[in-house]
Amino acid sequence: MSEEKIIRMDMGAVESDTHSNRPVLCLGIESSCDETSAAIVDSDRNILAHIIYSQIPEHQKFGGVVPELAARAHILAIEDVVKQTLNNAGKTIDDIDVIAATAGPGLIGGVLVGWMAATGIAQSTKKPLVAVNHLEGHALVPRLCATMADGTNGNVSVEFPYLLMLASGGHCQILLVGGVGQYEMIGQTLDDSAGEAYDKVAKMLGLGYPGGPVVDKRAQSGNPRAFAFPRPLCDKPGCDFSFSGIKTAARTFLSRMDTTLTDEYINDFCASFQSAVVDCIINRLNNAMKDERVRTANPKTLVVAGGVAKNSAIRAAMEKLAQKNKMIFAAPPMNLCTDNGAMIAWAGLENFAIGNVVHKPVAPRPRWPLTEL
Ligand code: KG4
Ligand code: ZN
């Protein structure tokens, strides 16, 4: 964490324990996709311990996440991940004030594992439990710590309201974030998410899973003008996305290639694809800034979050757009972009601070839009 020069913002959004005047400690659990993760985060924005057990190697040979394998891997890992997190923080469960876990959306087998573990811990210890929406974890984590586009400390503090580009493997949305649990949908994808497009294009090129990191890296050595990928919807008003046309174009370009792909071809392909994705994101965000709801709320910060927020070109282009519009740009540090327990613990703390705890058993939800919070 320290090498990423993370800043901790002192905004006092999450109150300290008023009786003892010590920070509130939250154990957060994430298990909605292919990471089993737990973290202990306090209300002073310290991450005391954080373990991310990635199942990626188990899914790689199938070219994507296999839900049944993921659920079983979560079952095998969850107990050790939670115990080790407590150990690393030098805490026992008695020291923890709040338990939080992802209760959706996500692959239901995995969500069930983490959510039932958290419910069991909370019931047996009689501690408050927060059902965290995974997307809200991504959305709020820039308030735990934020960096500039290149990952360096820029004295960024993310206060409500902010304009959020939420781009992950499963979602692609522009949201106006008014507060904890307050999300207004400004635009969203009509088909694939940006992460899905990266993963599918990488698969076509034989670059393995997950596709985002390797396409991002290859793109840095390629020519973004080598292939004329379309920019779907960019000639239309509004803030929605469509990535299926870009994916079809990728398939068409590749079908014309009858020899083995060279490194140069792959790099140019990745650079051209990425340039189309970046253009679409910037075009839609530009429109979002002119949206009546956004203008009225007048957010000071433009934020990117979700796994795709790791992308160097997207971060750089969004930072430029923010500067042009006299906004501050903020992104989570790289290790808090993809799925992680710290974002769930932080969202747990923010919800706990407003009394949003579970009072009766709650069923996890495979689908759970942020606008239904
Ligand atoms: O947020 P996340 O960990 O999981 C979901 O909630 O879906 O996002 C995973 C997604 C994958 O599609 C992965 O390819 C993408 O994030 N990703 C990236 C990069 N790193 C991860 N996409 C573009 N550029 C990257 N550097
Ligand atoms: Zn996620």
Side-chain angles (χ1 to χ4, degrees), residues 134-248:
H134 177 84
L135 299 172
E136 185 163 53
H138 281 303
L140 295 179
V141 75
R143 288 169 49 77
L144 168 62
C145 43
T147 64
M148 294 175 47
D150 60 4
T152 57
N153 180 343
N155 223 3
V156 195
S157 89
V158 180
E159 292 177 60
F160 300 123
Y162 52 94
L163 188 62
L164 172 68
M165 177 72 236
L166 175 45
S168 67
H171 294 82
C172 186
Q173 307 174 339
I174 299 175
L175 295 146
L176 180 60
V177 185
V180 179
Q182 293 171 38
Y183 300 91
E184 196 153 357
M185 188 74 73
I186 306 298
Q188 60 184 316
T189 184
L190 306 176
D191 39 58
D192 292 348
S193 70
E196 233 174 315
Y198 269 95
D199 293 337
K200 285 177 181 166
V201 164
K203 198 170 182 175
M204 289 179 212
L205 294 169
L207 296 177
Y209 174 83
V214 56
V215 172
D216 188 3
K217 190 150 183 281
R218 291 289 201 137
Q220 285 163 25
S221 326
N223 172 8
R225 279 173 294 279
F227 295 86
F229 278 92
R231 271 70 173 158
L233 299 181
C234 287
D235 54 346
K236 304 235 164 27
C239 308
D240 287 337
F241 297 89
S242 169
F243 291 108
S244 67
I246 298 183
K247 194 180 61 188
T248 308

